[in-house]
Structure formats: C-alpha cells, structure tokens
Amino acid sequence: MFSSIEINAPIIKIFLSNHGRAGFHIRFMNAFSEKVRFNLEQHEGFYADLEVPLEYFLSFITSAFLGLIEQWIRNGLDKTPKEMTELYIEIILFIQRK
C-alpha cells in the first residue's frame, strides 16, 4: 500500500491539501476501511477478542493510517515504502505492548 501511495504522492498531496477536492478524505478512508474490513473477515480469529464495535475499530485504524500517510507526505516522502511499513508495524506493536 505504501508503494502505491509513493507512486501517486503528487496527486494525493493535492487531494489532502486544504485546496484538495472535497470529500477525498472521506472516500480515501472509506476505501481503506473496506480493505481492512475485508482482511479482517478473512482472519476472523484476529479480532475475536475485540471488545469494541468493529465500526469504531475500523474508524480508529483508518484515521491513524491516514494521519501517518499525511505526515509522510508532509515530510517529503523521507522514508521508503518498506521503512513506512516497518514504522507502521512498530507503532502497532508499541500500542499492543502498552
């Protein structure tokens, strides 16, 4: 996913800016949320112990991911897609440990 974002960064940067097309954030979040939902449904055991409604979980994950992407773009894509994947995993593991 980070590779696709890197390839399309110039367009995404415009859409995420204050002058971007209205509703892009929502469409992006919805598309990502559906991808996460699909992956979760393929691995139901992963979220079997989830104690919050799935919609709230998806909202949290997609908002956090979009924030990470926005920061990466603001930083001028200073990390490779592989580094971003590792960073994302490290953030999730950090939260899990806490």
Side-chain angles (χ1 to χ4, degrees), residues 37-84:
R37 179 189 305 274
F38 176 79
N39 287 333
L40 287 175
E41 289 171 353
Q42 302 304 308
H43 304 94
E44 288 183 36
F46 176 77
Y47 69 96
D49 295 337
L50 185 64
E51 296 180 9
V52 299
L54 184 58
E55 297 303 318
Y56 285 91
F57 176 78
L58 290 172
S59 179
F60 175 81
I61 293 296
T62 56
S63 294
F65 188 74
L66 183 56
L68 191 64
I69 291 166
E70 288 175 321
Q71 186 63 49
W72 185 36
I73 289 173
R74 276 193 301 273
N75 288 356
L77 303 175
D78 61 340
K79 300 192 179 309
T80 67
K82 183 177 186 291
E83 290 172 323
M84 287 303 295

Side-chain angles (χ1 to χ4, degrees), residues 10-21:
I11 294 168
I12 293 172
K13 185 175 183 177
I14 292 168
F15 282 139
L16 291 177
S17 74
N18 291 335
H19 306 292
R21 188 171 176 200

